[in-house]
């Protein structure tokens, strides 16, 4: 269809229990935001947030995509979990591509804007449950530090 889905992934954490119990039921609720299915089918996707509904924190969205656990600790469709690197791509390279800005954003390469963060841990190396605890040490926008912890 020529579309790129964008999944609101914090939804599984904040409202997953409600959807599993009331709105969708366990079978349909476990398939909410089916990232693994999209990945397996070769569909390029992004992950977004709906601030101010939830606080802005893309590392938390990555955590949700990798873990798929509700706010009460209940698993929700574990078969739809994706690896950390795929979640990172969804909020960087794929997001820039979806916005038609991948020629200047989304990855680190010559002639692209130097928009990046310095983290206190590698999201692909820590236990997956710890991704939500990673701290941003510095944010660089177009080559200039705009935040430093």
């Amino acid at each position: 269809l020529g579309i790129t889905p964008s999944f609101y992934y914090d939804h599984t954490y904040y409202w997953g229990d409600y959807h599993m119990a009331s709105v969708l039921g366990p079978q349909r609720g476990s398939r909410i935001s089916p990232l693994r299915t999209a990945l397996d089918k070769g569909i390029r996707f992004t992950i977004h947030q709906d601030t101010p509904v939830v606080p802005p924190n893309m590392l938390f969205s990555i955590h949700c995509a990798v873990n798929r656990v509700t706010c009460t600790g209940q698993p929700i469709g574990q078969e739809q979990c994706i690896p950390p690197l795929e979640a990172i791509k969804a909020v960087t390279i794929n997001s820039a591509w979806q916005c038609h800005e991948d020629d200047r954003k989304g990855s680190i390469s010559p002639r692209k804007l130097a928009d990046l963060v310095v983290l206190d841990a590698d999201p692909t190396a820590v236990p997956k449950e710890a991704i939500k605890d990673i701290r941003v040490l510095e944010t660089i926008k177009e080559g200039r530090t705009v935040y430093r912890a």
Side-chain angles (χ1 to χ4, degrees), residues 30-51:
S30 67
R31 290 205 30 86
I32 195 166
S33 300
L35 293 185
R36 172 50 80 172
T37 298
L39 185 63
D40 290 348
K41 291 184 177 289
I43 299 170
R44 198 170 196 177
F45 59 86
T46 62
I47 297 171
H48 72 274
Q49 293 185 322
D50 199 6
T51 303

Side-chain angles (χ1 to χ4, degrees), residues 55-73:
N57 183 343
M58 290 313 295
L59 281 167
F60 188 73
S61 295
I62 291 168
H63 167 84
C64 291
V66 171
N67 289 281
R68 285 189 66 104
V69 176
T70 69
C71 62
T72 63

Side-chain angles (χ1 to χ4, degrees), residues 5 25 28 46 50 53 79 82 111 116 135 141:
R28 287 178 51 216
T46 62
D50 199 6
V53 175
E79 66 281 356
I82 61 171
R111 292 179 296 285
L116 54 104
R135 292 183 359 176
K141 173 80 173 142

